[in-house]
């Protein structure tokens, strides 16, 4: 035998030396959930070790994350039913606790990056990402609402706007709205190919944001399609996106790889709530080893081509590195 591939696997030092895929804590984004009020740390049953935080405790949590090397966060609001309406108007109201939190977090941690969520669903009485009329999601009525949300977030100091709604033309609309008001430095990470997935279940429980009727299949993508993801990516690039996201990650590794081969923009992948929940559930039953399972998951997403990973495993990953 001239070739014996096992020689390159014979010790940990050699395996580490030739490893093709290495994940850095600095390329992870840690999602955090926010509620109004003080002194709150409310567990989310289907997402062990994730909480709905009030701002006072969230600031302490972010500080702790920083100590283990996490510097990038995405923030999602859990909004009380009484603030929801058809226009999602609380989303850009000056009273919105989410906007106040963005200001406070940026004041306390100016060097960390903070990403937002732009979509109507946390604030909509219909629970949809777009404006609902007679059971239809109306694309062009939604755009100005998204524009107002994005602008309010930019004014609050957000670093990266994250449109997660999948309306057509929203990246261009948001970019123009921001630029018109001189927010040329505010980035957009577009949820470029966001699939209509069963894996968002725990997240919707965390935020009480499930649609009140129907599903999201007229705007989120059909899991059977890949070319369509590349079309969405082309449009987002032309419309001014800075970073392109694929979501979920695990069932879409092929899409991540294809997109990475096609674009010169950074590619991110969202390792979503259901992907987190299933590892925890199996580990709790003793059917999987938690640590090696989530490491393998993150490695596969990185190997597929994701430059950036949004993941609820960020803290547990970072702890292994310090
Ligand atoms: C809402 C939004 C969702 C997620 C991020 N932003 C849920 C949805 O589209 O219903 C899912 C994240 C996760 O499951 O971890 N616009």
């Amino acid at each position: 035998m001239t070739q014996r591939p096992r020689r390159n696997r014979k010790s940990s030092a050699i395996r580490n030396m030739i490893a093709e895929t290495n994940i850095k804590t600095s390329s992870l984004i840690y999602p955090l959930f926010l509620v109004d009020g003080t002194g709150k740390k409310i567990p989310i049953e289907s997402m062990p070790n994730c909480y709905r935080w009030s701002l006072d405790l969230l600031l302490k949590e972010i500080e702790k994350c920083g100590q283990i090397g996490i510097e990038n966060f995405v923030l999602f609001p859990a909004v009380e039913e009484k603030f929801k309406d058809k226009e999602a108007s609380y989303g850009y109201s000056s009273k919105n606790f989410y906007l106040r939190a963005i200001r406070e977090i940026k004041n306390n941690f100016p060097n960390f990056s903070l990403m937002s969520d732009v979509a109507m669903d946390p604030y909509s009485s219909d629970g949809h990402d777009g404006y609902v009329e007679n059971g239809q999601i109306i694309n062009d009525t939604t755009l100005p609402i998204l524009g107002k949300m994005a602008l309010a977030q930019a004014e609050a100091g957000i670093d990266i706007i994250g449109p997660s709604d999948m309306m057509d033309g929203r990246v261009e609309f948001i970019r123009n709205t921001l630029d018109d008001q001189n927010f040329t430095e505010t980035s957009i990470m577009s949820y470029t190919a966001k699939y209509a997935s069963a894996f968002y279940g725990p997240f919707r429980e965390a935020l009480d944001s499930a649609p009140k009727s129907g599903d999201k299949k007229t705007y989120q993508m059909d899991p059977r399609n890949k070319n369509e993801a590349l079309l969405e990516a082309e449009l987002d690039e032309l419309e001014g996106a800075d970073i392109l996201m694929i979501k979920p990650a695990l069932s879409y590794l092929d899409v991540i790889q294809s997109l990475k081969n096609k674009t010169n923009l950074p590619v991110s992948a969202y390792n979503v709530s259901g992907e987190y929940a299933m590892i925890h559930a199996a580990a709790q039953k003793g059917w999987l080893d938690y640590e090696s399972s989530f490491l393998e998951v993150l490695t596969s997403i990185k190997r597929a081509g994701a430059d950036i990973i949004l993941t609820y495993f960020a803290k547990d990953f970072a702890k292994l590195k310090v």
Side-chain angles (χ1 to χ4, degrees):
M1 265 185 265
T2 47
Q3 282 294 346
R4 285 181 180 270
R6 286 187 56 194
R7 276 195 287 264
N8 283 345
R9 298 174 202 144
K10 71 183 164 199
S11 70
S12 160
I14 290 180
R15 289 194 294 275
N16 289 341
M17 178 175 74
I18 64 152
E20 299 168 41
T21 308
N22 295 295
I23 305 170
K24 299 172 291 178
T25 304
S26 58
S27 52
L28 303 182
I29 302 180
Y30 188 38
L32 294 165
F33 301 112
L34 180 76
V35 284
D36 203 1
T38 51
K40 292 185 186 157
K41 180 185 177 185
I42 309 165
I44 302 162
E45 210 193 334
S46 53
M47 301 178 70
N49 306 327
C50 290
Y51 300 89
R52 301 183 192 86
W53 301 93
S54 58
L55 180 59
D56 53 338
L57 299 186
L58 184 68
L59 290 171
K60 298 201 175 104
E61 174 68 5
I62 292 176
E63 188 176 355
K64 277 196 203 146
C65 289
Q67 287 161 358
I68 54 173
I70 302 175
E71 299 189 321
N72 307 298
F73 303 88
V74 56
L75 192 61
F76 295 99
V79 179
E80 282 177 72
E81 206 57 41
K82 65 177 181 199
F83 291 121
K84 299 185 183 181
D85 61 22
K86 274 199 91 57
E87 288 82 28
S89 59
Y90 190 66
Y92 47 88
S93 151
S94 57
K95 300 194 185 82
N96 187 342
F97 66 94
Y98 182 72
L99 299 172
R100 197 172 352 117
I102 291 172
R103 270 195 188 92
E104 277 293 305
I105 294 168
K106 285 305 299 181
N107 278 342
N108 281 274
F109 306 102
N111 298 329
F112 290 174
S113 92
L114 189 60
M115 172 173 160
S116 68
D117 185 51
V118 172
M120 289 177 66
D121 61 331
Y123 307 104
S124 151
S125 45
D126 295 298
H128 274 287
D129 294 24
Y131 186 81
V132 181
E133 202 173 84
N134 301 325
Q136 306 281 319
I137 315 299
I138 314 294
N139 196 88
D140 297 8
T141 312
T142 306
L143 297 180
I145 299 172
L146 301 175
K148 284 186 213 171
M149 286 177 69
L151 187 57
Q153 293 170 358
E155 282 165 351
I158 202 79
D159 298 289
I160 305 173
I161 299 280
S164 68
D165 55 282
M166 289 303 279
M167 297 301 121
D168 294 332
R170 88 270 205 221
V171 172
E172 181 177 30
F173 194 97
I174 291 171
R175 186 71 271 159
N176 287 340
T177 306
L178 295 175
D179 289 355
D180 283 349
Q181 301 297 320
N182 283 325
F183 289 106
T184 52
E185 293 300 302
T186 309
S187 313
I188 300 178
M189 183 188 302
S190 176
Y191 287 61
T192 291
K194 177 172 177 182
Y195 285 88
S197 169
F199 290 99
Y200 308 147
F203 177 97
R204 291 178 190 171
E205 181 209 313
L207 297 190
D208 298 315
S209 66
K212 301 282 159 58
S213 68
D215 54 38
K216 298 192 173 186
K217 289 183 183 167
T218 67
Y219 46 105
Q220 297 183 348
M221 279 188 44
D222 188 325
R224 293 173 291 189
N225 297 346
K226 180 151 76 173
N227 290 335
E228 198 183 336
L230 301 178
L231 168 65
E232 287 281 6
E234 232 173 271
L235 295 174
D236 280 354
E237 275 205 51
L238 291 171
E239 290 179 33
D242 301 288
I243 300 170
L244 304 175
M245 189 206 296
I246 305 290
K247 174 183 175 183
L250 266 194
S251 303
Y252 300 89
L253 295 175
D254 57 327
V255 184
I256 296 171
Q257 184 169 31
S258 296
L259 180 57
K260 181 63 191 169
N261 289 338
K262 249 200 128 181
T263 184
N264 291 321
L265 290 178
V267 171
S268 68
Y270 200 140
N271 177 212
V272 298
S273 57
E275 298 170 339
Y276 178 77
M278 64 188 183
I279 299 265
H280 270 281
Q284 268 170 19
K285 282 188 173 284
W287 292 351
L288 285 179
D289 176 64
Y290 175 69
E291 194 179 295
S292 46
S293 300
F294 86 69
L295 277 176
E296 192 170 330
V297 161
L298 294 180
T299 301
S300 72
I301 298 167
K302 182 84 186 173
R303 194 188 61 234
D307 303 294
I308 301 160
I309 307 174
L310 295 88
T311 180
Y312 305 96
F313 293 119
K315 245 176 105 174
D316 286 337
F317 178 85
K319 279 184 203 154
L320 295 176
K321 292 272 164 172
V322 288

